[in-house]
mmCIF file of all heavy atoms in Angstrom:
data_model
loop_
_atom_site.group_PDB
_atom_site.id
_atom_site.type_symbol
_atom_site.label_atom_id
_atom_site.label_comp_id
_atom_site.label_asym_id
_atom_site.label_seq_id
_atom_site.Cartn_x
_atom_site.Cartn_y
_atom_site.Cartn_z
ATOM 1 N N TRP W 30 -13.412 6.400 0.531
ATOM 2 C CA TRP W 30 -13.549 5.486 1.674
ATOM 3 C C TRP W 30 -12.991 4.106 1.321
ATOM 4 O O TRP W 30 -12.265 3.494 2.116
ATOM 5 C CB TRP W 30 -15.006 5.392 2.073
ATOM 6 C CG TRP W 30 -15.267 4.441 3.211
ATOM 7 C CD1 TRP W 30 -15.100 4.694 4.544
ATOM 8 C CD2 TRP W 30 -15.727 3.092 3.111
ATOM 9 N NE1 TRP W 30 -15.430 3.576 5.294
ATOM 10 C CE2 TRP W 30 -15.819 2.581 4.430
ATOM 11 C CE3 TRP W 30 -16.081 2.271 2.043
ATOM 12 C CZ2 TRP W 30 -16.234 1.279 4.693
ATOM 13 C CZ3 TRP W 30 -16.493 0.973 2.300
ATOM 14 C CH2 TRP W 30 -16.577 0.497 3.616
ATOM 15 N N LEU W 31 -13.316 3.618 0.139
ATOM 16 C CA LEU W 31 -12.817 2.312 -0.287
ATOM 17 C C LEU W 31 -11.296 2.304 -0.411
ATOM 18 O O LEU W 31 -10.643 1.293 -0.114
ATOM 19 C CB LEU W 31 -13.454 1.909 -1.614
ATOM 20 C CG LEU W 31 -14.829 1.256 -1.526
ATOM 21 C CD1 LEU W 31 -15.423 1.109 -2.922
ATOM 22 C CD2 LEU W 31 -14.743 -0.108 -0.837
ATOM 23 N N PHE W 32 -10.721 3.410 -0.865
ATOM 24 C CA PHE W 32 -9.264 3.478 -0.938
ATOM 25 C C PHE W 32 -8.653 3.235 0.432
ATOM 26 O O PHE W 32 -7.697 2.464 0.579
ATOM 27 C CB PHE W 32 -8.811 4.835 -1.477
ATOM 28 C CG PHE W 32 -7.311 5.008 -1.462
ATOM 29 C CD1 PHE W 32 -6.543 4.602 -2.538
ATOM 30 C CD2 PHE W 32 -6.675 5.561 -0.360
ATOM 31 C CE1 PHE W 32 -5.164 4.740 -2.515
ATOM 32 C CE2 PHE W 32 -5.294 5.695 -0.322
ATOM 33 C CZ PHE W 32 -4.533 5.286 -1.404
ATOM 34 N N ASP W 33 -9.199 3.885 1.461
ATOM 35 C CA ASP W 33 -8.675 3.714 2.813
ATOM 36 C C ASP W 33 -8.871 2.288 3.321
ATOM 37 O O ASP W 33 -7.999 1.731 4.006
ATOM 38 C CB ASP W 33 -9.356 4.702 3.767
ATOM 39 C CG ASP W 33 -8.921 6.136 3.528
ATOM 40 O OD1 ASP W 33 -7.824 6.347 2.996
ATOM 41 O OD2 ASP W 33 -9.694 7.056 3.877
ATOM 42 N N VAL W 34 -10.001 1.677 2.996
ATOM 43 C CA VAL W 34 -10.260 0.297 3.415
ATOM 44 C C VAL W 34 -9.259 -0.648 2.758
ATOM 45 O O VAL W 34 -8.654 -1.506 3.413
ATOM 46 C CB VAL W 34 -11.709 -0.114 3.069
ATOM 47 C CG1 VAL W 34 -11.905 -1.617 3.280
ATOM 48 C CG2 VAL W 34 -12.702 0.681 3.905
ATOM 49 N N GLU W 35 -9.075 -0.485 1.452
ATOM 50 C CA GLU W 35 -8.144 -1.359 0.734
ATOM 51 C C GLU W 35 -6.713 -1.207 1.238
ATOM 52 O O GLU W 35 -5.922 -2.155 1.195
ATOM 53 C CB GLU W 35 -8.192 -1.042 -0.763
ATOM 54 C CG GLU W 35 -9.513 -1.415 -1.419
ATOM 55 C CD GLU W 35 -9.608 -0.918 -2.851
ATOM 56 O OE1 GLU W 35 -8.604 -0.381 -3.363
ATOM 57 O OE2 GLU W 35 -10.687 -1.057 -3.456
ATOM 58 N N ALA W 36 -6.372 -0.020 1.731
ATOM 59 C CA ALA W 36 -5.015 0.241 2.196
ATOM 60 C C ALA W 36 -4.668 -0.524 3.470
ATOM 61 O O ALA W 36 -3.489 -0.786 3.730
ATOM 62 C CB ALA W 36 -4.823 1.740 2.422
ATOM 63 N N VAL W 37 -5.671 -0.887 4.264
ATOM 64 C CA VAL W 37 -5.395 -1.544 5.547
ATOM 65 C C VAL W 37 -5.764 -3.021 5.562
ATOM 66 O O VAL W 37 -5.295 -3.765 6.433
ATOM 67 C CB VAL W 37 -6.119 -0.815 6.697
ATOM 68 C CG1 VAL W 37 -5.611 0.610 6.824
ATOM 69 C CG2 VAL W 37 -7.633 -0.819 6.514
ATOM 70 N N LEU W 38 -6.573 -3.478 4.614
ATOM 71 C CA LEU W 38 -6.939 -4.886 4.595
ATOM 72 C C LEU W 38 -5.762 -5.726 4.106
ATOM 73 O O LEU W 38 -5.145 -5.403 3.092
ATOM 74 C CB LEU W 38 -8.145 -5.125 3.685
ATOM 75 C CG LEU W 38 -9.512 -4.684 4.201
ATOM 76 C CD1 LEU W 38 -10.572 -4.957 3.137
ATOM 77 C CD2 LEU W 38 -9.855 -5.402 5.499
ATOM 78 N N PRO W 39 -5.441 -6.825 4.796
ATOM 79 C CA PRO W 39 -4.338 -7.685 4.340
ATOM 80 C C PRO W 39 -4.755 -8.484 3.107
ATOM 81 O O PRO W 39 -5.915 -8.831 2.925
ATOM 82 C CB PRO W 39 -4.095 -8.610 5.537
ATOM 83 C CG PRO W 39 -5.414 -8.659 6.249
ATOM 84 C CD PRO W 39 -6.036 -7.300 6.061
ATOM 85 N N GLY W 40 -3.766 -8.770 2.250
ATOM 86 C CA GLY W 40 -4.005 -9.660 1.122
ATOM 87 C C GLY W 40 -4.756 -9.059 -0.041
ATOM 88 O O GLY W 40 -5.167 -9.785 -0.953
ATOM 89 N N VAL W 41 -4.953 -7.738 -0.057
ATOM 90 C CA VAL W 41 -5.663 -7.113 -1.170
ATOM 91 C C VAL W 41 -4.802 -7.208 -2.437
ATOM 92 O O VAL W 41 -3.620 -6.885 -2.422
ATOM 93 C CB VAL W 41 -5.979 -5.641 -0.860
ATOM 94 C CG1 VAL W 41 -6.518 -4.929 -2.101
ATOM 95 C CG2 VAL W 41 -6.994 -5.543 0.269
ATOM 96 N N MET W 42 -5.403 -7.683 -3.524
ATOM 97 C CA MET W 42 -4.679 -7.855 -4.784
ATOM 98 C C MET W 42 -5.071 -6.755 -5.761
ATOM 99 O O MET W 42 -5.652 -6.998 -6.823
ATOM 100 C CB MET W 42 -4.965 -9.239 -5.366
ATOM 101 C CG MET W 42 -4.510 -10.389 -4.493
ATOM 102 S SD MET W 42 -2.705 -10.410 -4.285
ATOM 103 C CE MET W 42 -2.217 -10.971 -5.906
ATOM 104 N N GLY W 43 -4.790 -5.518 -5.389
ATOM 105 C CA GLY W 43 -5.114 -4.393 -6.250
ATOM 106 C C GLY W 43 -4.247 -4.380 -7.501
ATOM 107 O O GLY W 43 -3.136 -4.929 -7.509
ATOM 108 N N PRO W 44 -4.710 -3.761 -8.574
ATOM 109 C CA PRO W 44 -3.975 -3.776 -9.831
ATOM 110 C C PRO W 44 -2.775 -2.834 -9.909
ATOM 111 O O PRO W 44 -2.058 -2.847 -10.899
ATOM 112 C CB PRO W 44 -5.044 -3.375 -10.859
ATOM 113 C CG PRO W 44 -6.057 -2.614 -10.090
ATOM 114 C CD PRO W 44 -6.068 -3.207 -8.723
ATOM 115 N N VAL W 45 -2.550 -2.038 -8.868
ATOM 116 C CA VAL W 45 -1.378 -1.162 -8.824
ATOM 117 C C VAL W 45 -0.601 -1.424 -7.541
ATOM 118 O O VAL W 45 -1.173 -1.385 -6.450
ATOM 119 C CB VAL W 45 -1.775 0.328 -8.898
ATOM 120 C CG1 VAL W 45 -0.536 1.216 -8.807
ATOM 121 C CG2 VAL W 45 -2.534 0.622 -10.183
ATOM 122 N N LEU W 46 0.689 -1.707 -7.689
ATOM 123 C CA LEU W 46 1.565 -1.894 -6.537
ATOM 124 C C LEU W 46 2.151 -0.554 -6.101
ATOM 125 O O LEU W 46 2.477 0.295 -6.938
ATOM 126 C CB LEU W 46 2.709 -2.842 -6.881
ATOM 127 C CG LEU W 46 2.335 -4.290 -7.171
ATOM 128 C CD1 LEU W 46 3.539 -5.047 -7.710
ATOM 129 C CD2 LEU W 46 1.783 -4.974 -5.919
ATOM 130 N N VAL W 47 2.284 -0.380 -4.785
ATOM 131 C CA VAL W 47 2.905 0.803 -4.203
ATOM 132 C C VAL W 47 4.034 0.326 -3.295
ATOM 133 O O VAL W 47 3.792 -0.429 -2.352
ATOM 134 C CB VAL W 47 1.907 1.628 -3.365
ATOM 135 C CG1 VAL W 47 2.582 2.885 -2.830
ATOM 136 C CG2 VAL W 47 0.682 1.983 -4.187
ATOM 137 N N ALA W 48 5.247 0.740 -3.582
ATOM 138 C CA ALA W 48 6.401 0.319 -2.784
ATOM 139 C C ALA W 48 7.147 1.536 -2.265
ATOM 140 O O ALA W 48 7.255 2.559 -2.956
ATOM 141 C CB ALA W 48 7.341 -0.545 -3.618
ATOM 142 N N VAL W 49 7.661 1.409 -1.052
ATOM 143 C CA VAL W 49 8.579 2.396 -0.500
ATOM 144 C C VAL W 49 9.858 1.660 -0.121
ATOM 145 O O VAL W 49 9.834 0.732 0.687
ATOM 146 C CB VAL W 49 7.998 3.118 0.727
ATOM 147 C CG1 VAL W 49 9.027 4.102 1.305
ATOM 148 C CG2 VAL W 49 6.718 3.859 0.363
ATOM 149 N N PHE W 50 10.964 2.058 -0.746
ATOM 150 C CA PHE W 50 12.280 1.494 -0.468
ATOM 151 C C PHE W 50 13.133 2.569 0.193
ATOM 152 O O PHE W 50 13.014 3.766 -0.131
ATOM 153 C CB PHE W 50 12.979 1.067 -1.764
ATOM 154 C CG PHE W 50 12.283 -0.033 -2.533
ATOM 155 C CD1 PHE W 50 12.417 -0.113 -3.906
ATOM 156 C CD2 PHE W 50 11.505 -0.981 -1.896
ATOM 157 C CE1 PHE W 50 11.813 -1.118 -4.627
ATOM 158 C CE2 PHE W 50 10.881 -1.982 -2.595
ATOM 159 C CZ PHE W 50 11.028 -2.067 -3.970
ATOM 160 N N GLY W 51 13.994 2.160 1.108
ATOM 161 C CA GLY W 51 14.864 3.100 1.780
ATOM 162 C C GLY W 51 16.328 2.753 1.577
ATOM 163 O O GLY W 51 16.703 1.577 1.554
ATOM 164 N N ARG W 52 17.160 3.769 1.424
ATOM 165 C CA ARG W 52 18.616 3.555 1.422
ATOM 166 C C ARG W 52 19.073 3.534 2.876
ATOM 167 O O ARG W 52 18.813 4.486 3.627
ATOM 168 C CB ARG W 52 19.336 4.661 0.661
ATOM 169 C CG ARG W 52 20.841 4.512 0.740
ATOM 170 C CD ARG W 52 21.603 5.415 -0.190
ATOM 171 N NE ARG W 52 23.026 5.276 0.065
ATOM 172 C CZ ARG W 52 23.986 5.736 -0.744
ATOM 173 N NH1 ARG W 52 23.646 6.359 -1.868
ATOM 174 N NH2 ARG W 52 25.256 5.575 -0.432
ATOM 175 N N PRO W 53 19.725 2.473 3.325
ATOM 176 C CA PRO W 53 20.124 2.383 4.727
ATOM 177 C C PRO W 53 21.042 3.546 5.135
ATOM 178 O O PRO W 53 21.779 4.110 4.317
ATOM 179 C CB PRO W 53 20.888 1.051 4.794
ATOM 180 C CG PRO W 53 20.365 0.262 3.631
ATOM 181 C CD PRO W 53 20.086 1.277 2.555
ATOM 182 N N GLY W 54 20.967 3.877 6.403
ATOM 183 C CA GLY W 54 21.808 4.925 6.936
ATOM 184 C C GLY W 54 20.992 6.061 7.492
ATOM 185 O O GLY W 54 19.763 6.035 7.484
ATOM 186 N N THR W 55 21.675 7.054 7.997
ATOM 187 C CA THR W 55 21.011 8.237 8.548
ATOM 188 C C THR W 55 21.594 9.464 7.890
ATOM 189 O O THR W 55 22.715 9.463 7.394
ATOM 190 C CB THR W 55 21.201 8.332 10.074
ATOM 191 O OG1 THR W 55 22.602 8.333 10.362
ATOM 192 C CG2 THR W 55 20.545 7.153 10.770
#
């Protein structure tokens, strides 16, 4: 439950960063 809460709260400074990068185009 806390994982889901932390995922939507703004400004959370969790110790692990999660990034999704995309290569432009289709």
Side-chain angles (χ1 to χ4, degrees):
W30 178 81
L31 276 171
F32 175 88
D33 289 336
V34 170
E35 292 172 6
V37 298
L38 286 178
V41 171
M42 298 296 287
V45 178
L46 294 171
V47 183
V49 178
F50 297 151
R52 176 169 175 167
T55 57

